[in-house]
């Protein structure tokens, strides 16, 4: 039986896969698992709940809040805020757990429910499975004064912004930035904090109406940002996704700076300040081979994990590493947060431009991206990726042919019914040819 939780919470089509009924049952189950420590200590559990601005978040957050309060949890309703803001507020308010309603970069019809443990940390698989197992378990309902209370958190926005400004290494005076909020959760926060930090800010994608989140704007749609940066003569552009746990950038020429390049720039920055723990960066197996090569030249060790910022975070926490992230733009500063934070990442990147006096394009030359081809193969049985011997032999053969000049990676998506074929090589044509051959093998071997 498939797990209820994917790599980043429970996600699907709102009102079909992610229903109000599921949201209520899931929140009750989470209240029993994540609130147990508080009850053992003789106090009532407390939870922070936030959402992105998509329309379905209105009824789904209402269902979550109802479920939590009915299970005896006091709820602090933070409203529309980025996912990292909810993680921060969970820790900052000493809440027992947090809940975020968002489908991140997915299109508006989708939504999702993700939980944070005390301290604002994502849950490990064991705890998620415990919550899933509680969905249909009978429980004793509190009555009278024992039901949970629901209050708004009017200062959540301000507390998060104050936190971001407090950890910024230097001000952004003299810098002109375009912010693309993806019509999402950072539409208000990100432009405001950049202005407070001293930058001149132009905004696009910052008018959410509940229906336009990620629609042509944000980190998965950079064309508007590239055009705006060139039109405004800006020093750089920052693009968030719907819940603002990721950040991609555009330099003054309108060229994309991806998550790997951002991590390379920031790793060098932290090392130069003596705050890159063990001179180590934690990335995933999807990071470009060019990142590994660049970090080796800079004397920085790269540890690689499975795909998903939760796995990056687990590795970082285990050894107290300070910086990690993903090519997609999830970047974690463990000294300042517990999850990927697109607003903080953008601020830190802008601060490095000011600190060095170099352009973003100049800073990005720290690494050369090897040509990378990524093909998503739909309509196949992703569960058989590792077990199909012919497919694995095909991967091995292609990898051996590339030698040390490239690499091959096949992985099943944790959030979609897709197998991803990724190939890097010295030349784009070579990478494309290898990827297309493997796609044919995947379709031949894994067709449903």
């Amino acid at each position: 039986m498939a797990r209820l939780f994917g790599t980043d919470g429970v996600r699907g089509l709102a009102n079909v896969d992610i229903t109000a009924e599921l949201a209520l049952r899931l929140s009750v189950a989470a209240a029993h698992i994540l609130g147990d420590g508080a009850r053992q200590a003789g106090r009532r559990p407390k939870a922070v709940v936030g959402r992105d601005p998509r329309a379905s978040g209105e009824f789904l957050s209402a269902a979550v809040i109802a479920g939590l309060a009915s299970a005896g949890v006091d709820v602090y309703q933070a409203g529309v805020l980025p996912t990292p803001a909810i993680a921060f507020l969970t820790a900052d308010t000493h809440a027992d757990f947090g809940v975020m309603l968002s489908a991140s970069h997915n299109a508006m019809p989708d939504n999702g429910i993700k939980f944070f443990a005390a301290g604002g940390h994502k849950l490990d698989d064991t705890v998620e499975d415990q919550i899933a197992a509680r969905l249909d378990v009978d429980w004793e309902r509190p009555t009278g004064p024992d039901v949970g209370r629901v209050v708004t958190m009017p200062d959540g926005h301000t507390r998060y912004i104050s936190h971001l400004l407090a950890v910024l290494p230097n001000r952004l005076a003299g810098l002109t930035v375009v912010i693309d909020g993806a019509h999402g959760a950072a539409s208000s926060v990100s432009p405001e904090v950049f202005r407070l930090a001293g930058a001149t800010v132009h905004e696009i994608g910052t008018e959410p109406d509940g229906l336009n989140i990620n629609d042509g704007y944000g980190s998965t749609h950079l064309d508007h940002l590239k055009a705006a940066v060139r039109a405004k003569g800006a020093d750089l552009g920052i693009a968030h996704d719907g819940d603002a746990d990721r950040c991609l950038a555009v330099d003054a020429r309108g060229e994309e700076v991806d998550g790997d390049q951002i991590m390379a720039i920031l790793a060098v920055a932290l090392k130069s300040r003596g705050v890159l723990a063990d001179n180590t960066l934690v990335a995933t197996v999807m990071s470009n081979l060019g990142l590994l090569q660049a970090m080796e030249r800079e004397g920085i060790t790269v540890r690689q994990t499975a795909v998903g910022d939760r796995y990056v975070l687990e590795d970082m926490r285990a050894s107290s590493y300070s910086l990690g992230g993903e090519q997609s733009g999830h970047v974690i500063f463990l000294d300042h947060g517990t999850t990927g934070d697109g607003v903080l990442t953008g601020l830190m990147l802008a601060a490095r431009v000011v600190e060095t006096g170099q352009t973003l394009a100049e800073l990005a030359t720290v690494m050369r991206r090897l040509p990378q081809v990524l093909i998503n193969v739909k309509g196949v049985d992703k569960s058989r990726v590792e077990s199909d011997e012919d497919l694995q032999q095909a991967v091995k053969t292609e990898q051996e042919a590339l030698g040390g000049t490239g690499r091959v990676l096949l992985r099943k998506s944790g959030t979609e019914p897709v197998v991803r074929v990724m190939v890097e090589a010295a030349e784009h044509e070579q990478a494309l040819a290898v990827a297309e051959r493997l796609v044919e093998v995947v379709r031949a071997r894994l067709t449903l």
Side-chain angles (χ1 to χ4, degrees), residues 431-448:
L432 180 60
V434 173
E436 288 177 340
R437 286 196 294 270
L438 287 174
V439 165
E440 290 305 312
V441 179
V442 169
R443 287 179 175 147
R445 300 298 305 172
L446 304 185
T447 297
L448 291 169

Side-chain angles (χ1 to χ4, degrees), residues 197-243:
T200 297
V201 177
H202 301 282
E203 302 179 33
I204 64 173
T206 56
E207 299 178 1
D209 61 10
L211 306 178
N212 60 0
I213 188 169
N214 299 318
D215 186 9
Y217 287 83
S219 60
T220 54
H221 306 280
L222 293 176
D223 287 348
H224 288 296
L225 181 60
K226 292 176 179 179
V229 167
R230 290 191 293 261
K232 298 295 184 182
D235 296 294
L236 70 152
I238 297 296
H240 303 301
D241 62 335
D243 69 337

